[in-house]
Amino acid sequence: MVELKALELSDRKQFIKDNQEAFNYGAMQEFGMRDDHFEEDDQIISRDTIEKSIDAGEAYRIMCDGKPVGGVVIRVCGEKGDLELLFVSPKVHSKGIGYAAWREIEKLHPEVTVWETVTPYFEKRNIHFYVNRCGFHIVEFFNSHHPDPNDPDAEMGELDDQFPEGMFRFEKKMK
């Protein structure tokens, strides 16, 4: 049984730690100990980045059988939804928890007609999940030849130091 529970202030610190652990796991799977994609202090995603997402959106704990196993942060504005963060503890990967959580998000916001998210080029697990499991489509590939127009550094011609290989942008149009 998977459900979403609104993030409580008392759980915020652990939520951030769990998010960092899950994101680091993906990078370590891909790059091993040679990973150099860290945003801050050996973290793929910084505390500041996660906190800004939480503060600007809706944060939920993914609960399975009453225990926290991941989290999600979304932003909804009218009929447009942004999946800012979605993570599942590596201890429970490949059990359908991420997909079940995604289905709960869709139920939570039936007014959304288009969902959007991004993931780094190297995150094969995420790409599989979004495309093959959740029904997203890759609609854009941000890279040195096609920078993200929403990235302030890209406007100045700077590449994303963290993910120079690029980022995929996904969309899911709801029926």
Side-chain angles (χ1 to χ4, degrees):
M1 175 78 180
V2 171
E3 61 184 343
L4 300 179
K5 179 182 168 194
L7 181 64
E8 296 175 8
L9 185 58
S10 62
D11 190 30
R12 184 175 170 121
K13 192 179 216 176
Q14 187 63 47
F15 180 94
I16 292 167
K17 182 180 172 193
D18 293 348
N19 187 190
Q20 289 176 319
E21 175 189 351
F23 277 47
N24 285 353
Y25 178 84
M28 297 303 269
Q29 287 287 100
E30 180 65 23
F31 299 107
M33 292 306 292
R34 62 184 166 67
D35 192 326
D36 60 357
H37 292 76
F38 297 119
E39 195 174 73
E40 124 190 324
D41 299 329
D42 296 335
Q43 298 297 333
I44 287 295
I45 186 168
S46 72
R47 171 182 232 45
D48 186 55
T49 298
I50 299 168
E51 286 182 336
K52 284 178 181 173
S53 289
I54 292 169
D55 293 342
E58 301 172 30
Y60 299 92
R61 264 301 190 176
I62 300 171
M63 307 294 288
C64 184
D65 298 326
K67 296 179 183 139
V69 294
V72 62
V73 179
I74 58 175
R75 277 188 302 131
V76 174
C77 184
E79 295 182 349
K80 184 181 182 302
D82 286 305
L83 176 59
E84 296 287 320
L85 299 169
L86 180 118
F87 66 94
V88 174
S89 168
K91 296 173 189 147
V92 294
H93 276 178
S94 300
K95 297 183 187 297
I97 292 169
Y99 179 69
W102 174 250
R103 299 294 295 166
E104 291 300 312
I105 293 165
E106 289 178 339
K107 288 182 205 170
L108 190 63
H109 287 285
E111 75 279 13
V112 172
T113 59
V114 178
W115 284 98
E116 227 180 79
T117 195
V118 296
T119 202
Y121 172 78
F122 71 83
E123 284 284 6
K124 294 178 186 102
R125 233 182 119 78
N126 289 359
I127 295 164
H128 162 74
F129 174 74
Y130 291 127
V131 173
N132 299 323
R133 294 286 290 148
C134 297
F136 281 79
H137 296 277
I138 297 171
V139 295
E140 206 161 8
F141 177 47
F142 301 127
N143 60 69
S144 61
H145 304 288
H146 180 73
D148 181 348
N150 299 312
D151 182 351
D153 293 333
E155 289 177 9
M156 295 181 272
E158 295 178 25
L159 278 179
D160 184 334
D161 291 336
Q162 187 180 16
F163 302 115
E165 301 92 357
M167 299 277 287
F168 286 114
R169 183 173 72 85
F170 301 84
E171 278 186 0
K172 180 174 183 179
K173 294 183 178 171
M174 304 303 290
K175 296 178 181 173

